[in-house]
Amino acid sequence: MSTSAHQVPAVAIVGGGFSGAAVAWHLFRLRPDLERVVVIEPRAELGRGLAYSAADPSHRINVPAVRMTLMPDQPEHFNAWLEASGRLDGDPAARMPDGRNFPARAVFGEYVHRMLTSLGPRLHHVRAAAQDIEPVEGGYRIACSDGSEVLARIVVLAVAHVAPSPPSLVDRALAGHPRYVRDPWATDRLETIRPEDRVLIVGTGLTMADIVASLDRLGHKGEIVAISRRGLRSRGHPAEAHEPYGDFATEPAQTVRELVRRVRETVRAAAREGKSWHCVLDQVRLQGSAVWRALPLAERARLLRHLRPFWDVHRFRIAPQVEQGLDRRLAEGRLSLRAASLKTVERKGETIEVTLRSRRGARVDTERFDAVVVATGPAHGRVFAETPVLASLEAAGLARPDPLQLGIDVTGDGHAVGADGVARPDLFVAGPLARGTVGELMGLPDVTNYAIRVAGGVAAQLDARIARKPDLVQASG
């Protein structure tokens, strides 16, 4: 390994998806004097991550473009870029009759990437995966998958969710089957599904909706059956938009029962004014951190256990184009959503025989399918076990899972909490994996606002440390 020495960046960001990109962008806005920030990300372009790398044009942003931006102080920045860029010319379906735009997710990824590119060489991309982080004098040493090492005073963890966890009985029975798709984001695998195949999708949320949209684009005409414990599908957007409605932050509820009561009362009040439930749930999301902080740990666990599926399908809405596709298939009888669980899965040649137990009435049916696609959502509880850099931090006692197993344990201002319960002032966590402490952190506006808070914390830490810490030296191979 050849070694070169030069002044090290003060900050290294592990993960270059949207969360890491947003931290980097806002850190430079706060500290334009910074000479260098390193982002460690194996993808070729920063800012895309898993969500906005999607090559499938049928995978669209789930909220109108006017609400998607890297800069909350300029809420229509992305939409203005979108209109000026000409990206809509080849995608007329992205424009809705009411003027809202829902382009492909990859277009938003391009927007974020171009914004980061405008920062120039001050933002240095190490195209590799971080594998190990260890504390050294004055900072941290990060070992990367390409053999290089990065040293920095402050580290921001912006790592992603791990892939969905297929049910073990499905994985065991269908390993090697040509039309078993265990990773729903590998859309090229969906091309193995034939037009008339009968398809089972395990999961009924946002990912299921994307899979159906992809199959439609590929010309699939057969029947699709989607199952989940409750059989709930993601809702669409309201016909008429309203400002967020209600107040859940003033004297926030301290029990789940009280929270549900207040939400229901507010929905009824909104209905009396001619407004849909959407604006009430929007307010709950906006005030989510205050709501979450007010709930004791036992109540947070109760909320996740009983209400999370209902929250997810109302909060995380699907684009109108995708909703229309689901509605069309349902009306034609080519899509059914069932509240059911898998009892047995057996491969018989290329036919897949599945026994389904209905949630209502405990009815058991045996059915045959030609393909199975897993859409169970991110495996939050396995993120430390399956992310090498987090496993190394946990082994060193520098980070730990949060008590609810949603991600990484952090303080309210984003510092990682070690095995001893002590927060490290120079180790931050950005992105959805902080939501066990912070609350709602899955929608892009929430992730952006939290990234701004983390950037502010990093800037404050730099102000406190940079004058008294010696420069580190970076070794790269």
Side-chain angles (χ1 to χ4, degrees), residues 50 87 112 145 164 179 201 209 345 374 381 387 393 420 425 438 469:
L50 177 62
R87 296 298 182 277
V112 179
S145 59
R179 285 174 293 283
I201 301 178
V345 179
V374 175
T387 308
L393 288 169
D420 56 2
V438 177
K469 288 291 182 182

Side-chain angles (χ1 to χ4, degrees), residues 374-448:
V374 175
T376 51
H380 302 288
R382 301 196 340 264
V383 68
F384 272 80
E386 297 200 8
T387 308
V389 70
L390 293 185
S392 75
L393 288 169
E394 185 178 27
L398 302 179
R400 66 185 185 185
D402 69 75
L404 297 171
Q405 298 294 305
L406 292 175
I408 307 170
D409 197 8
V410 301
T411 62
D413 51 3
H415 296 279
V417 176
D420 56 2
V422 177
R424 295 191 66 90
D426 48 8
L427 183 60
F428 291 82
V429 178
L433 291 182
R435 68 181 184 146
T437 298
V438 177
E440 177 55 50
L441 266 181
M442 295 296 284
L444 186 131
D446 314 294
V447 173
T448 305

Side-chain angles (χ1 to χ4, degrees), residues 41-288:
E41 165 59 48
R43 291 181 176 85
E45 294 185 351
L46 297 178
R48 291 187 178 273
L50 177 62
Y52 304 114
S53 293
D56 192 326
S58 63
H59 291 183
R60 297 186 179 276
I61 61 175
N62 294 322
V63 298
V66 291
R67 291 172 50 197
M68 298 273 287
T69 180
L70 191 59
M71 297 177 287
D73 57 341
Q74 300 180 48
E76 296 198 16
H77 189 267
F78 168 58
N79 196 58
W81 176 90
L82 183 64
E83 293 284 2
S85 67
R87 296 298 182 277
L88 295 176
D89 295 343
D91 184 18
R95 295 185 186 273
M96 302 306 297
D98 59 8
R100 294 176 299 170
N101 293 320
F102 289 84
R105 289 182 203 155
V107 175
F108 183 76
E110 180 187 357
Y111 156 78
V112 179
H113 173 67
R114 287 180 178 272
M115 295 288 287
L116 290 190
T117 301
S118 70
L119 295 172
R122 294 182 300 163
L123 186 65
H124 179 63
H125 178 193
V126 175
R127 190 177 176 186
Q131 293 186 316
D132 183 80
I133 299 178
E134 63 173 336
V136 295
E137 180 64 29
Y140 296 90
R141 183 192 308 275
I142 307 169
C144 301
S145 59
D146 63 352
S148 67
E149 293 181 341
V150 174
L151 300 176
R153 296 186 183 90
I154 297 172
V155 171
V156 178
L157 298 171
V159 295
H161 304 293
V162 297
S165 178
S168 58
L169 78 164
V170 176
D171 228 24
R172 288 195 303 269
L174 301 183
H177 190 286
R179 285 174 293 283
Y180 169 46
V181 184
R182 69 192 311 274
D183 180 0
W185 303 115
T187 52
D188 58 318
R189 292 281 297 126
L190 295 177
E191 296 177 3
T192 65
I193 297 176
R194 299 164 300 194
E196 302 302 325
D197 280 344
R198 190 165 190 257
V199 180
L200 174 67
I201 301 178
V202 184
T204 60
L206 284 176
T207 304
M208 179 277 294
D210 283 340
I211 292 166
V212 173
S214 294
L215 289 174
D216 276 348
R217 180 183 61 82
L218 293 169
H220 180 262
K221 304 297 181 184
E223 183 188 0
I224 298 174
V225 175
I227 64 167
S228 66
R229 184 180 176 190
R230 293 178 175 83
L232 301 172
R233 62 171 279 192
S234 295
R235 305 301 198 267
H237 293 269
E240 182 179 355
H242 295 282
E243 291 299 313
Y245 184 93
D247 180 13
F248 303 94
T250 302
E251 298 184 1
Q254 297 187 5
T255 67
V256 172
R257 184 184 296 273
E258 180 187 357
L259 176 62
V260 171
R261 178 185 60 79
R262 289 177 61 174
V263 170
R264 285 175 172 167
E265 288 177 352
T266 308
V267 168
R268 287 193 289 270
R272 288 193 292 270
E273 298 182 22
K275 300 176 181 178
S276 73
W277 57 263
H278 299 77
C279 59
V280 177
L281 271 292
D282 288 343
Q283 186 73 301
V284 176
R285 176 186 61 80
L286 289 171
Q287 298 179 342

